[in-house]
Amino acid sequence: MTNPNGNLLEVRELRTYFDTEDGEVKAVDGVTFQLKRGETLGIVGESGSGKSVTNLSIIRLIPQPPGKIVSGEIVFDGVDILSLAEKDVRKIRGRRIAMIFQDPMTSLNPFMKISRQVMEITQLHLGHTKRQAFDHAVRMLETVGIPDARARANNYPHEFSGGMRQRVMIAMALSCEPELLIADEPTTALDVTIQAQILELIKTLKRATGTSVILITHDLGVVAGMTDHLIVMYAGKVFEQAPTSELFALPGNPYTKGLLRSVPDPTAEQGALYQIPGLPPDLAHLPPGCPFAARCDRAQEICREEFPPFVQVAPEHYSLCHFADQVYNDSRREALTNTLQKGMSTPPQ
């Protein structure tokens, strides 16, 4: 069943909590977003902001206990995944929705050959015979750039480098040509050259297959050229969402501005890198007002006492802040000032 508004995925008021010794941790608390077919959505934020838990909830891989999806809807192609029986979810997971996990060394079975691990997916979901599955696995390994794939397919994970293991994970994820690919920190622990290769590989395969992508990362530099829309998460909530170019140019939330300032600028004068002061809050004991108030340089009394509203500051651009309009307008003025200064410093032709 195709969604008439063009959305492949709609997450509505999703709440995923964990029971711990310190109390109930609201890891994901009221998250809402949409993803259209063929688009790439970036989800960014510091560690512990709820990015990975949100996407593990989408494919129902939250460990229960201690975790539980408390409420909300995850509508994939018109069907609420949370309403399905586990056997029906397994038909979707790996077949129509695939995920690249953060650490390929812990995601791959160290005692199984690479070929067998890739083959299992198509044997399960596509009904391939052993020979069909092996040939398909070799083709997928070739597609993701594994040299001498037919011979390397019989190696074990420890015989591959970190970058090659990540390519194997991508081959596994794309083996059944899923409609949605979730990439959770796909370049973690890789050097910058391999990072660029992995990201370019995802972009190339996305163009070839038309797969929609959710890219989870803490690195704003990664999502700049990869995504159509961005979601900024903090303390289990969506703090800002907008088209990627709009969010980079005109951030409407103090937290987003802090993240952007934290990205090293090679053109700036050498000096200490900016970092957002303080630490993220304890999700088991959140403050009564805005969870970012203690770290925000423009926080006022209302921020510490009342939870902020989710404000629309421009078409498709929303921010969770008491002063969202002011922050957004400040960004507009800063952008205009920078443009004028660049124009004045340009030598005459």
Side-chain angles (χ1 to χ4, degrees):
M1 181 170 63
T2 302
N3 199 319
N5 60 15
N7 291 334
L8 176 65
L9 178 71
E10 296 180 8
V11 176
R12 304 169 184 161
E13 291 296 321
L14 178 65
R15 289 177 170 81
T16 302
Y17 299 167
F18 290 83
D19 292 321
T20 71
E21 293 180 354
D22 294 329
E24 187 175 60
V25 172
K26 298 180 178 180
V28 174
D29 196 18
V31 167
T32 297
F33 64 86
Q34 298 82 37
L35 175 66
K36 293 188 181 297
R37 291 181 180 275
E39 284 192 338
T40 299
L41 172 71
I43 303 181
V44 299
E46 293 170 289
S47 296
S49 61
K51 307 183 301 296
S52 294
V53 175
T54 296
N55 289 279
L56 288 172
S57 299
I58 290 173
I59 54 177
R60 289 207 4 209
L61 282 181
I62 297 298
Q64 301 185 45
K68 56 185 176 182
I69 299 176
V70 176
S71 62
E73 294 178 295
I74 300 170
V75 180
F76 176 72
D77 198 19
V79 176
D80 184 4
I81 291 177
L82 297 183
S83 69
L84 297 177
E86 179 59 31
K87 64 181 179 64
D88 295 320
V89 177
R90 285 197 295 269
K91 294 176 183 177
I92 294 175
R93 188 192 301 138
R95 174 65 181 92
R96 301 183 66 193
I97 303 176
M99 188 165 183
I100 305 169
F101 294 92
Q102 285 191 34
D103 185 355
M105 196 58 198
T106 57
S107 301
L108 293 169
N109 189 325
F111 300 105
M112 290 173 59
K113 293 179 179 180
I114 292 296
S115 58
R116 184 178 169 192
Q117 298 189 57
V118 182
M119 288 165 62
E120 277 187 339
I121 300 167
T122 56
Q123 286 178 298
L124 175 64
H125 291 295
L126 303 182
H128 280 180
T129 64
K130 188 174 181 180
R131 170 51 57 185
Q132 289 174 326
F134 181 79
D135 289 341
H136 185 77
V138 170
R139 285 196 298 272
M140 290 306 303
L141 293 175
E142 290 172 343
T143 299
V144 298
I146 303 291
D148 196 14
R150 187 165 293 273
R152 296 300 304 276
N154 290 316
N155 290 152
Y156 290 89
H158 73 271
E159 298 179 275
F160 284 74
S161 67
M164 287 299 172
R165 285 194 293 267
Q166 194 62 284
R167 289 171 184 268
V168 171
M169 290 296 299
I170 295 172
M172 293 172 64
L174 294 175
S175 286
C176 296
E177 296 188 3
E179 296 158 66
L180 172 59
L181 174 66
I182 300 172
D184 188 358
E185 302 275 10
T187 58
T188 297
L190 301 178
D191 64 64
V192 291
T193 303
I194 304 301
Q195 281 186 28
Q197 292 175 1
I198 294 297
L199 293 173
E200 187 59 34
L201 175 61
I202 293 173
K203 285 172 66 175
T204 300
L205 295 174
K206 174 185 176 295
R207 285 194 297 265
T209 62
T211 299
S212 301
V213 177
I214 296 177
L215 178 61
I216 307 166
T217 182
H218 62 273
D219 187 347
L220 281 164
V222 167
V223 297
M226 285 282 296
T227 60
D228 301 297
H229 290 80
L230 270 183
I231 289 174
V232 178
M233 289 191 68
Y234 184 78
K237 295 185 177 293
V238 174
F239 258 51
E240 187 165 8
Q241 62 183 54
T244 301
S245 57
E246 163 93 3
L247 188 139
F248 271 84
L250 303 170
N253 192 285
Y255 177 57
T256 306
K257 296 191 79 166
L259 289 178
L260 290 170
R261 286 183 64 191
S262 302
V263 178
D265 183 357
T267 65
E269 293 183 10
Q270 190 172 6
L273 292 175
Y274 174 81
Q275 63 179 21
I276 301 173
L279 295 171
D282 180 355
L283 296 182
H285 304 94
L286 286 169
C290 174
F292 186 61
R295 308 174 69 190
C296 182
D297 58 6
R298 62 182 302 151
Q300 299 185 23
E301 196 61 31
I302 189 174
C303 304
R304 289 179 278 272
E305 295 179 352
E306 296 181 20
F307 191 80
F310 201 50
V311 178
Q312 183 175 9
V313 295
E316 299 187 82
H317 192 160
Y318 298 84
S319 173
L320 188 77
C321 181
H322 287 292
F323 304 102
D325 286 321
Q326 294 180 26
V327 176
Y328 180 76
N329 288 328
D330 288 347
S331 295
R332 290 178 64 90
R333 283 192 289 271
E334 290 168 9
L336 179 60
T337 300
N338 290 336
T339 300
L340 290 173
Q341 287 177 344
K342 288 180 180 178
M344 292 173 63
S345 63
T346 302
Q349 299 295 318

